[in-house]
Amino acid sequence: MRFKMYGSFRCRMVLLLLFLLLDCNFSNCLADTSSEATTHTNNWAVLVCTSRFWFNYRHMANTLSLYRTVKRLGIPDERIILMLADDMACNARNKYPAQVFNNENHKLNLYGDNVEVDYRGYEVTVENFFRVLTGRHENAVPRSKRLLSDEGSHILLYMTGHGGDEFLKFQDSEELQSHDLADAVKQMKEKRRFKELLIMVDTCQAATLFSQLQSPGVLAIGSSMKGENSYSHHLDSDVGVSVVDRFTFYTLGFFERLNMYNNDSLISLFSSYNPSMLMSTAYYRTDLYQRHLEEVPVTNFFGSVMEMIHTDSAYSLLSRKESFRVEIKMSADKSVPDKKRLMDNPSDLDQISELNIEREGTCGAGSTWRFKTYMEYYTKRDGKSRRC
Amino acid sequence: MLSAQIESNPLLFPCHFQAIFVGFDSKPSMTPDALGSSILSQMTKLTSKPPQCGTCSTNYSIAVTVDSSLGCIQTRNLEDTSSWRCGSMGTTDFSDDEGVDKALADSLGGKVYSVVVVHGDREEVRAVVGKYRHAWVVGRVSEAEAVARAAEIFVKVFVNGGKEEGLIHGEFMPVGADGKIVLSFNLLNSDPQDWVYDWDFQSIDETLLSPVIEALESVANISVESQVLYHTPKSSFSHWDDEQESYIFSTKDLPFFVNSNEWHLDTSIAAGGRSKILQIVVYIPSARECPLLLQLPNGEISKTNGFISPMWGGVIVWNPKDCLKDSESQHPLRRTISQQDLQKVFEVVMGQFRQLFGLKSNNVYVGASGTSSLLASERGFTEWELDVLSRQHTCFNLHSCATTLGSLSRLVQSLPRMIIMDEIGKQVMYSLEAATLARSNASLGLYDSSAVSSRQARYLAEDAFFHPSIMSVSYYSFEHCFAVYSPFFLPVSMHVLLAALREWRRYKQENKKYLAWKTKVKKDS
């Protein structure tokens, strides 16, 4: 690095000069932006699994479980960045090829249809992770691999793997340091790439990973505190490895219990973690987050929001229509997709129960629709998830 | 430099207005100067203080002409004399809006915002805003009312674009960071077993879309794509309503309508990483849900059957004619949407496109002193609307450029060991030059060129900030350094230290011996 000093020095002087000249505009600028109230327009999810090797099956299952939950609650694939560091479904040691389970009852195959992995295998590196967060990609990187969030986005960042004091291990060969993560989040905030960010970490000593964060609008929860380990939940003797971690297991359990009548807030999620069941203390920090956790519904991060505005008239050249403007702001409470749907549509799909894929309690009719169409045109799908 | 002033002085454009009063024969007290000052005072009352970015600077210049049977009188201090031809409004037929618009455009020239107030015999007062940069008020108006109307049209319509606060929020600026928008038109056949529709997009693109794209050239670089998709059901539900004899979905179902799992819309190749894609979806329901109508909260059925989501795009539900399904044939029916239907659909698309840019899709402005109707333009946007958009986008782009460059310099400051490539420095320079150019154009009142330069400035600033070489990943924590280098240096340093100690001891011994020898020599001699 040293020998490139001269070139960088000159550039640096130029930039420093510009910085001084732009200095006056900072105080005004920042005052302007902080008082602007941006509306929440969309949700993104970045789900990262950082471990390789067969015995880290549970990390893959964690990430895929959360991917499934988040998709079920409404976030589409184009707004999910899924990074899996290794392939468990098609691993030679997998007795159930193309299937990933997070429970020993094997009721749910996480690696079913419609799993879109954006970064796989050796592409999951610390550098790529930061490129996703900060948006600094090469020109040729396709849109599906970019985090195209804007200032109205709520981002859910979930990381799982092996971690330690102030670091998270990637691919068994490099580390993500907490101060680098704090720096990336700071840059994201400066470039206004998110409105609110929820970081969930399921590793050993998880709380240390976000200890250096300082940007406002960030909420973080980790599965264990400094000096504590995070444990796996149970061992699946059939598959031969542990299939899920405790923190993620209880998180998923929370989302299964959600129904349409109580749209739970984040505080109920955070307080649902029982330290004796987790065998560690789930620690969360809210000092950087302005809103009260009681007021924030979980669907703010885990569900999907699309603000819809009705088009009241066509723009035609000849006729002039007078109408009013109706503006509707909806937050899609997708915790149960079948809330208040009027089911007397005669052509509606009958309850598909002959398929042997388990639907947990909150599965809505939206999913059954999907099944029927899958059956109809299975061959037309372009096979996004890999078949072994 | 100039970009430092961006925030301290919000960007204001110089505006010139002119008002023409025709036919006020019976009021000799109406002198141009008096009228001018009263309009000015009304306008000052209506503008928000402090002035928003993108609106006019507070020293308006208003030129007033009074055209009566005695001849034309104009205000004294005009930089450029009004091109109004006296007596030219005598024989105009005010029931034909298009004709009046054209005539006024010819006579006024279309560069300065103008309001023509014509005192007629008709009792009801009608106000119409034309396609170019003028408006007219016809009817039996009193002087005060005329002044109020003119001021309101100037401020609320021409300057603020028909909105109350005159500011377009960021969620209605769908231009990507590289100044490009990709309009993706998707025809969705939800169940091809019932019917399969196709459309002649090419003709629509050439006839209806290209004028619009051309009109918005200064604001964004737009490219158009289209595709037809099959097996794309929606994910919300509808119920049968006997009264309407159709399937109804309400506004509560709107957020669930877009089925992102099945609708693979984002497959554009043309869109680069930083362009914005707007999805325009024409949804054809299946026979089980045909016809499908949208019901508004007040119980009415929507006339357009369409809705938008800001920064994403819009959806229109188009029901096939009579929902006929040929139940005998095995193969799905292949039909093409007729030209008239397609035209109607595209009118709704135009309305949605305007909504996505923050303008209204209807043609009425309701103000404090009355309702004005707004004429529609075949380019989708009238001249004065394009002005408003250019001004607002210039503002937004310059603001964004300034914040980006600020963030970049803060970042560079905080990483002393980072290598910054020359390319980035050059991009920052060009960005600042473009921003300066935009500001100078703005001060001259050239809306279009300032919008283009501001777009360029924002693009370069974003390019510099998102340059892939600036990766601030540092593995070099102290523990890491220590752990890496200590196996090299510790053993060696141990030996070096021991050797040094030994040498020092030997030196001391030799020194002692030397001193002893010296004293002995001295004693001997």
Side-chain angles (χ1 to χ4, degrees):
Chain A
M1 278 196 308
R2 294 286 165 80
F3 43 80
K4 281 225 183 161
M5 271 294 240
Y6 289 134
S8 73
F9 186 70
R10 187 168 47 118
C11 236
R12 187 168 307 283
M13 284 318 293
V14 163
L15 283 164
L16 272 175
L17 242 131
L18 294 167
F19 171 65
L20 291 170
L21 294 166
L22 288 171
D23 208 356
C24 354
N25 95 40
F26 288 170
S27 45
N28 291 340
C29 186
L30 290 177
D32 277 348
T33 53
S34 57
S35 58
E36 259 178 66
T38 47
T39 44
H40 171 203
T41 48
N42 52 39
N43 279 357
W44 281 79
V46 180
L47 309 172
V48 186
C49 164
T50 59
S51 316
R52 321 205 96 240
F53 309 129
W54 173 246
F55 51 83
N56 290 320
Y57 184 102
R58 60 187 190 281
H59 296 143
M60 194 75 50
N62 286 349
T63 319
L64 283 172
S65 313
L66 219 75
Y67 171 77
R68 187 183 158 271
T69 304
V70 145
K71 267 186 85 162
R72 203 164 50 88
L73 295 178
I75 304 187
D77 266 320
E78 55 204 28
R79 291 204 285 273
I80 302 179
I81 307 257
L82 178 61
M83 302 173 78
L84 298 181
D86 199 0
D87 186 11
M88 300 303 169
C90 297
N91 194 309
R93 291 163 80 167
N94 191 357
K95 193 171 148 202
Y96 298 90
Q99 287 168 327
V100 175
F101 304 114
N102 69 349
N103 201 312
E104 61 179 347
N105 55 24
H106 292 191
K107 280 206 201 140
L108 181 62
N109 174 15
L110 298 171
Y111 203 70
D113 290 322
N114 225 2
V115 172
E116 184 183 312
V117 183
D118 299 303
Y119 287 85
R120 58 184 72 202
Y122 287 107
E123 292 176 339
V124 180
T125 57
V126 178
E127 186 191 332
N128 277 348
F129 177 64
F130 281 132
R131 284 190 189 278
V132 165
L133 285 188
T134 54
R136 295 212 172 88
H137 298 278
E138 302 286 332
N139 282 344
V141 170
R143 287 175 71 90
S144 58
K145 281 182 156 174
R146 293 183 189 232
L147 180 63
L148 300 167
S149 57
D150 52 40
E151 57 206 7
S153 307
H154 284 189
I155 303 182
L156 166 70
L157 174 60
Y158 174 80
M159 295 185 279
T160 180
H162 288 293
D165 196 2
E166 311 264 337
F167 71 91
L168 171 63
K169 194 163 73 158
F170 263 67
Q171 302 264 12
D172 210 30
S173 61
E174 49 183 9
E175 288 168 4
L176 169 70
Q177 310 265 354
S178 56
H179 57 86
D180 282 328
L181 180 65
D183 200 50
V185 172
K186 187 169 81 145
Q187 286 188 45
M188 284 174 82
K189 189 68 192 176
E190 284 217 10
K191 198 64 195 66
R192 297 208 262 174
R193 279 166 72 76
F194 64 90
K195 182 167 181 277
E196 289 176 12
L197 174 65
L198 170 62
I199 302 180
M200 284 182 95
V201 189
D202 188 357
T203 67
C204 302
Q205 306 191 51
T208 55
L209 192 65
F210 48 80
S211 56
Q212 309 247 359
L213 287 173
Q214 274 164 13
S215 320
V218 179
L219 187 56
I221 178 165
S223 60
S224 51
M225 300 187 61
K226 182 173 159 123
E228 290 176 352
N229 289 335
S230 291
Y231 296 95
S232 62
H233 189 258
H234 62 266
L235 171 72
D236 182 344
S237 39
D238 215 3
V239 175
V241 282
S242 307
V243 288
V244 71
D245 278 335
R246 288 183 180 250
F247 179 73
T248 309
F249 183 80
Y250 290 114
T251 309
L252 296 174
F254 176 85
F255 281 106
E256 302 300 311
R257 284 196 306 272
L258 268 189
N259 60 41
M260 57 174 133
Y261 295 113
N262 42 340
N263 180 11
D264 284 357
S265 60
L266 278 179
I267 192 75
S268 52
L269 171 64
F270 289 175
S271 39
S272 71
Y273 298 116
N274 185 346
S276 55
M277 302 291 280
L278 278 183
M279 291 161 66
S280 58
T281 323
Y283 171 74
Y284 57 95
R285 67 181 286 194
T286 52
D287 53 320
L288 298 169
Y289 194 65
Q290 284 88 4
R291 296 202 282 164
H292 292 288
L293 290 182
E294 296 89 31
E295 299 160 16
V296 183
V298 285
T299 48
N300 260 11
F301 290 99
F302 290 89
S304 174
V305 159
M306 273 183 97
E307 179 198 340
M308 296 293 190
I309 303 174
H310 172 243
T311 309
D312 32 84
S313 67
Y315 191 75
S316 66
L317 315 172
L318 303 167
S319 62
R320 268 177 251 127
K321 296 175 196 155
E322 293 186 8
S323 41
F324 50 89
R325 182 188 182 111
V326 174
E327 184 161 342
I328 303 116
K329 272 192 182 354
M330 293 281 187
S331 77
D333 180 359
K334 267 253 179 180
S335 51
V336 178
D338 57 342
K339 68 159 189 169
K340 292 185 225 149
R341 297 295 158 83
L342 295 158
M343 292 298 200
D344 50 331
N345 186 348
S347 60
D348 195 19
L349 310 162
D350 9 4
Q351 313 315 312
I352 310 265
S353 51
E354 61 266 27
L355 299 173
N356 60 348
I357 301 181
E358 170 74 0
R359 304 268 98 197
E360 283 96 350
T362 50
C363 172
S367 320
T368 53
W369 173 279
R370 201 179 307 147
F371 276 131
K372 180 151 193 246
T373 49
Y374 278 0
M375 299 271 285
E376 278 178 5
Y377 68 98
Y378 180 77
T379 50
K380 289 203 168 84
R381 302 228 10 103
D382 59 351
K384 271 199 183 150
S385 46
R386 283 184 15 210
R387 304 267 137 223
C388 299
Chain B
M1 256 175 24
L2 286 166
S3 52
Q5 298 164 12
I6 284 174
E7 298 306 319
S8 42
N9 319 335
L11 195 60
L12 296 171
F13 295 78
C15 302
H16 305 286
F17 300 102
Q18 68 171 349
I20 297 144
F21 293 83
V22 179
F24 284 88
D25 286 342
S26 48
K27 297 201 173 52
S29 62
M30 288 169 59
T31 57
D33 293 322
L35 287 171
S37 51
S38 55
I39 293 182
L40 186 59
S41 62
Q42 283 273 346
M43 284 172 69
T44 330
K45 258 194 276 176
L46 288 170
T47 40
S48 60
K49 296 176 180 51
Q52 302 264 12
C53 179
T55 54
C56 290
S57 51
T58 39
N59 48 344
Y60 304 117
S61 74
I62 306 180
V64 181
T65 310
V66 178
D67 183 355
S68 62
S69 48
L70 309 166
C72 283
I73 323 168
Q74 296 178 337
T75 45
R76 303 270 180 265
N77 50 347
L78 287 175
E79 290 92 15
D80 43 352
T81 54
S82 163
S83 57
W84 179 253
R85 284 187 310 239
C86 294
S88 55
M89 294 301 285
T91 51
T92 331
D93 169 27
F94 284 100
S95 53
D96 172 24
D97 287 334
E98 301 279 327
V100 175
D101 201 23
K102 201 76 188 34
L104 279 178
D106 290 332
S107 59
L108 284 172
K111 288 285 176 243
V112 181
Y113 294 121
S114 327
V115 172
V116 178
V117 183
V118 181
H119 185 87
D121 296 322
R122 298 194 1 225
E123 188 59 55
E124 52 134 341
V125 181
R126 258 188 82 226
V128 184
V129 180
K131 295 202 281 271
Y132 303 94
R133 290 192 179 95
H134 50 258
W136 63 93
V137 182
V138 189
R140 198 172 299 175
V141 283
S142 64
E143 178 187 335
E145 198 189 328
V147 163
R149 278 262 178 156
E152 189 193 45
I153 290 183
F154 280 142
V155 175
K156 293 293 174 194
V157 177
F158 287 142
V159 175
N160 286 358
K163 282 182 286 298
E164 271 318 305
E165 67 271 351
L167 188 65
I168 302 183
H169 290 284
E171 60 183 14
F172 291 107
M173 302 239 194
V175 185
D178 54 358
K180 292 205 186 100
I181 303 180
V182 175
L183 279 185
S184 169
F185 286 85
N186 310 282
L187 180 64
L188 260 46
N189 288 293
S190 81
D191 192 349
Q193 302 246 350
D194 299 328
W195 39 59
V196 175
Y197 273 92
D198 199 359
W199 58 5
D200 182 12
F201 190 77
Q202 190 77 3
S203 60
I204 292 290
D205 190 17
E206 285 160 11
T207 52
L208 294 179
L209 271 182
S210 16
V212 178
I213 293 173
E214 210 189 300
L216 283 177
E217 235 171 17
S218 59
V219 168
N221 182 355
I222 305 179
S223 59
V224 175
E225 294 185 338
S226 77
Q227 61 176 346
V228 182
L229 294 178
Y230 308 93
H231 291 287
T232 50
K234 65 182 190 349
S235 45
S236 70
F237 290 94
S238 58
H239 62 278
W240 174 259
D241 186 315
D242 282 321
E243 204 185 296
Q244 310 278 356
E245 282 185 14
S246 51
Y247 289 90
I248 300 288
F249 67 109
S250 70
T251 46
K252 284 199 276 291
D253 293 319
L254 288 184
F256 307 120
F257 195 95
V258 177
N259 184 357
S260 311
N261 277 323
E262 313 285 331
W263 297 9
H264 300 298
L265 300 172
D266 199 1
T267 51
S268 164
I269 326 165
R274 291 207 278 278
S275 318
K276 188 100 194 93
I277 295 189
L278 289 179
Q279 316 280 0
I280 311 278
V281 172
V282 179
Y283 179 80
I284 302 183
S286 60
R288 287 185 295 276
E289 279 188 319
C290 182
L292 190 60
L293 297 177
L294 172 63
Q295 188 174 44
L296 300 169
N298 63 0
E300 277 184 30
I301 294 294
S302 157
K303 294 191 208 76
T304 56
N305 240 9
F307 53 92
I308 65 156
S309 181
M311 298 297 268
W312 179 84
V315 179
I316 302 166
V317 179
W318 183 77
N319 295 305
K321 201 170 162 61
D322 298 336
C323 294
L324 286 174
K325 180 181 166 177
D326 191 351
S327 47
E328 263 135 48
S329 85
Q330 289 293 332
H331 304 289
L333 226 45
R334 290 196 156 267
R335 301 185 198 144
T336 314
I337 302 184
S338 67
Q339 279 294 95
Q340 295 97 306
D341 287 335
L342 208 50
Q343 193 115 1
K344 282 206 223 85
V345 165
F346 270 84
E347 286 177 355
V348 183
V349 168
M350 262 334 295
Q352 290 189 338
F353 195 48
R354 286 167 56 90
Q355 273 188 307
L356 286 168
F357 272 93
L359 301 171
K360 294 214 197 94
S361 61
N362 58 8
N363 306 54
V364 170
Y365 169 70
V366 181
S369 56
T371 314
S372 327
S373 69
L374 314 169
L375 280 190
S377 152
E378 58 270 349
R379 293 163 85 207
F381 297 88
T382 58
E383 294 276 344
W384 56 270
E385 282 174 343
L386 286 174
D387 287 344
V388 171
L389 282 181
S390 300
R391 289 198 296 260
Q392 291 290 329
H393 278 83
T394 307
C395 251
F396 177 74
N397 289 339
L398 286 177
H399 181 91
S400 159
C401 172
T403 43
T404 308
L405 290 177
S407 312
L408 179 62
S409 43
R410 271 195 290 273
L411 173 64
V412 164
Q413 285 278 300
S414 64
L415 297 166
R417 269 190 265 144
M418 173 67 56
I419 307 165
I420 307 287
M421 294 172 61
D422 284 348
E423 195 186 337
I424 300 176
K426 266 193 242 148
Q427 279 175 332
V428 174
M429 290 279 221
Y430 291 147
S431 172
L432 283 174
E433 271 174 26
T436 320
L437 184 61
R439 279 189 73 87
S440 59
N441 278 341
S443 59
L444 293 171
L446 303 166
Y447 307 133
D448 287 349
S449 42
S450 69
V452 171
S453 325
S454 69
R455 207 161 31 112
Q456 184 75 354
R458 181 175 170 219
Y459 168 62
L460 288 164
E462 299 262 339
D463 238 5
F465 187 84
F466 285 119
H467 199 270
S469 67
I470 313 178
M471 280 311 297
S472 62
V473 172
S474 68
Y475 294 113
Y476 306 113
S477 55
F478 174 68
E479 291 89 3
H480 195 114
C481 251
F482 186 71
V484 168
Y485 290 115
S486 56
F488 295 119
F489 292 118
L490 264 178
V492 172
S493 60
M494 190 180 69
H495 284 289
V496 167
L497 265 170
L498 281 175
L501 264 171
R502 227 177 288 137
E503 273 303 306
W504 187 69
R505 230 177 279 146
R506 194 174 73 93
Y507 166 75
K508 293 241 10 208
Q509 274 174 0
E510 296 295 315
N511 207 18
K512 226 189 294 180
K513 271 194 238 166
Y514 174 67
L515 286 172
W517 175 80
K518 259 196 105 164
T519 47
K520 203 171 93 177
V521 163
K522 239 194 195 164
K523 229 196 290 181
D524 285 344
S525 61

